[in-house]
Amino acid sequence: MKRTTERRKKGTMGLLAGASLLMSGCGAAMAGTPVLPAEALDSETDAVRADNFHDTNTAQAERVLGETRLRTDDFVWKERTPIVKVAHIKGEFSFDQDVLTPDDEIFNLYGTVMTGVCATPGFAMEEEAGNYYVNVGGRIEKAYRVNVAELGEEKSESRILKCSCGMTAGGLSNARVTGVPLGAVLEMAQLEETINCVTVYGADGYGVPMPLTYALEKEALLVYQINGKPLPSQEGGAVQLWMPEAVARYFTRNITHIELTAEAKEPPVLQAGEGCRAKINILNYADGVEFKAGETIRLEGYADDYDVAIEAVEFSLDGGETWTVCPTDGAQTDRWVYWQFAFTLEEPGEYEMTVRARTAQGMESPLASTLCFRVADSAR
Ligand SMILES: Nc1nc2c(c(=O)[nH]1)N[C@H]1C(S)=C(S)[C@@H](COP(=O)(O)O)O[C@H]1N2
Ligand SMILES: [Mo]
């Protein structure tokens, strides 16, 4: 039974299988869990959105997720005892947007694990000195080439940003990235007014056209360091585009060139698939974990909805009959909402926690996250 608990193990299969398995609860008869059928995991759909959110980016203490996560093994209760339901579960809630994904996972998550779903196959790359050169061309007087890392000595920006896949309910990381604003690189071009489209190409030929105004308003960054480490060259490029609040499809890796064009129609802005909206995940435990009666149970994980703010994280210990609403006042859209919920249970038995997020648009996670666990008698 796959819950979205340990990301490294959540391979291509886990993601898709997980969605349908979610419907069957914890192996025991659990009704009423608000989860979504597998077809909700549709692809990133094209749609225009006219949103430009500006945020504050506070430099706070950074915490990288530790190795607290447990392995997720397929989980079924040994005996089908009824699940203990608790209405209006009380707990202590907090959230922090500056918790970082360990950097090895950032690349595992998308570069390797997601390969089959939405990225082009990665090659076994030999690491070489970073190639930070990016060519700029298209409908401009004179094409030019910049060394992004060199330019960064003067114009770099460093901020924590999330990267959220618009095709899977998992696929979310939060990292401190350092790069040069796309705007600073394009300043060197004589931009004609007819130019309305920018496409950032990777060494593999990958590139997603986007409205130039959108890229500039969102403050797209040409990133050459993630979590303080220089990006290695892969297939001849090292720079990656990070687009605040946008789906990960825009995050072209191994950039080789940027093309400015005048299109008859501005390209649409990519949106996330419905099943990936208000994404939520419990990260620190896998199904089947056992706690002691009276012990403090601390759950943590993320919530995110691209350019829409998360307004609350909600918890249910009775299969969705009642919810404990924990507001996330002031949550920004450029980073994930990393939440914690601590509670205790005195009664031994088997439980199922369901977590969902509510957005500023009033949307509830179509795909809730659940954790099946056991509370053992503390005397045992
Ligand atoms: N060069 C290149 N960049 C790419 C892709 C690709 O196939 N080639 N896939 C995109 C998609 S669909 C996703 S989800 C993200 C994954 O980000 P990461 O692997 O760089 O973390 O990369 C994007 N950037
Ligand atoms: Mo993707």
Side-chain angles (χ1 to χ4, degrees):
M1 186 70 35
K2 183 69 184 88
R3 285 304 173 271
T4 48
T5 306
E6 212 276 328
R7 283 165 291 165
R8 194 176 317 227
K9 288 204 73 185
K10 185 176 188 168
T12 306
M13 270 191 47
L15 285 164
L16 299 172
S20 47
L21 283 171
L22 272 168
M23 301 177 74
S24 60
C26 289
M30 269 298 297
T33 306
V35 291
L36 201 81
E39 79 245 17
L41 293 175
D42 55 3
S43 57
E44 288 157 351
T45 45
D46 293 5
V48 184
R49 65 162 62 177
D51 228 302
N52 43 77
F53 184 94
H54 287 277
D55 58 83
T56 52
N57 184 43
T58 46
Q60 284 170 7
E62 288 165 26
R63 177 165 78 92
V64 177
L65 292 178
E67 291 303 309
T68 53
R69 267 151 287 163
L70 303 178
R71 313 187 107 233
T72 300
D73 293 308
D74 277 9
F75 166 79
V76 196
W77 295 121
K78 285 198 195 80
E79 289 151 40
R80 301 199 162 191
T81 40
I83 282 176
V84 184
K85 290 187 176 187
V86 179
H88 305 288
I89 176 68
K90 284 197 190 63
E92 248 173 66
F93 177 84
S94 66
F95 76 100
D96 176 353
Q97 297 201 259
D98 292 332
V99 172
L100 305 180
T101 308
D103 34 87
D104 62 321
E105 285 194 26
I106 297 171
F107 301 105
N108 273 335
L109 181 62
Y110 300 100
T112 314
V113 179
M114 309 287 291
T115 289
V117 180
C118 56
T120 55
F123 310 131
M125 310 100 182
E126 68 288 359
E127 296 198 5
E128 33 176 296
N131 175 7
Y132 302 108
Y133 284 101
V134 171
N135 296 295
V136 184
R139 207 182 159 88
I140 51 175
E141 288 261 306
K142 199 163 180 293
Y144 57 96
R145 194 161 103 118
V146 291
N147 182 318
V148 175
E150 234 170 72
L151 197 62
E153 286 165 21
E154 256 178 64
K155 299 193 168 171
S156 82
E157 275 177 23
S158 178
R159 55 190 289 203
I160 297 174
L161 289 175
K162 70 191 182 193
C163 175
S164 188
C165 183
M167 293 171 71
T168 59
L172 176 58
S173 54
N174 212 44
R176 173 163 283 285
V177 294
T178 304
V180 174
L182 178 67
V185 167
L186 298 187
E187 255 168 33
M188 301 166 204
Q190 274 356 164
L191 289 184
E192 274 180 49
E193 262 173 44
T194 51
I195 294 175
N196 60 357
C197 177
V198 59
T199 312
V200 178
Y201 288 99
D204 55 356
Y206 181 91
V208 185
M210 70 180 128
L212 179 62
T213 50
Y214 175 78
L216 297 177
E217 274 163 19
K218 288 286 181 189
E219 299 174 1
L221 263 190
L222 294 163
V223 168
Y224 57 93
Q225 271 181 21
I226 295 185
N227 288 356
K229 297 198 177 74
L231 287 176
S233 282
Q234 297 178 340
E235 307 160 54
V239 180
Q240 183 177 27
L241 186 71
W242 279 60
M243 283 289 303
E245 302 169 355
V247 293
R249 257 173 78 184
Y250 282 125
F251 290 48
T252 300
R253 274 180 264 112
N254 320 322
I255 298 172
T256 51
H257 63 289
I258 297 173
E259 193 127 323
L260 293 156
T261 53
E263 306 293 337
K265 208 168 156 275
E266 226 182 43
V269 170
L270 294 175
Q271 280 200 335
E274 276 304 302
C276 308
R277 297 288 310 276
K279 60 171 73 172
I280 184 121
N281 215 331
I282 300 169
L283 286 183
N284 65 328
Y285 289 110
D287 284 338
V289 61
E290 190 171 290
F291 301 101
K292 293 262 184 309
E295 153 188 27
T296 303
I297 300 171
R298 260 175 245 284
L299 302 185
E300 59 179 60
Y302 60 64
D304 182 61
D305 193 37
Y306 310 92
D307 62 346
V308 180
I310 297 297
E311 223 172 56
V313 179
E314 306 182 343
F315 300 85
S316 178
L317 211 51
D318 56 6
E321 285 165 33
T322 65
W323 292 92
T324 300
V325 177
C326 302
T328 50
D329 294 338
Q332 304 293 306
T333 46
D334 56 349
R335 286 155 287 155
W336 66 10
V337 165
Y338 201 80
W339 54 263
Q340 271 200 6
F341 189 70
F343 59 103
T344 52
L345 294 167
E346 303 298 338
E347 192 188 329
E350 280 153 17
Y351 293 82
E352 185 186 53
M353 175 63 92
T354 308
V355 187
R356 68 182 186 187
R358 199 179 66 225
T359 73
Q361 290 178 344
M363 176 188 261
E364 304 275 13
S365 308
L367 196 58
S369 181
T370 58
L371 178 76
C372 300
F373 61 94
R374 187 189 305 268
V375 171
D377 203 319
S378 52
R380 262 204 287 153

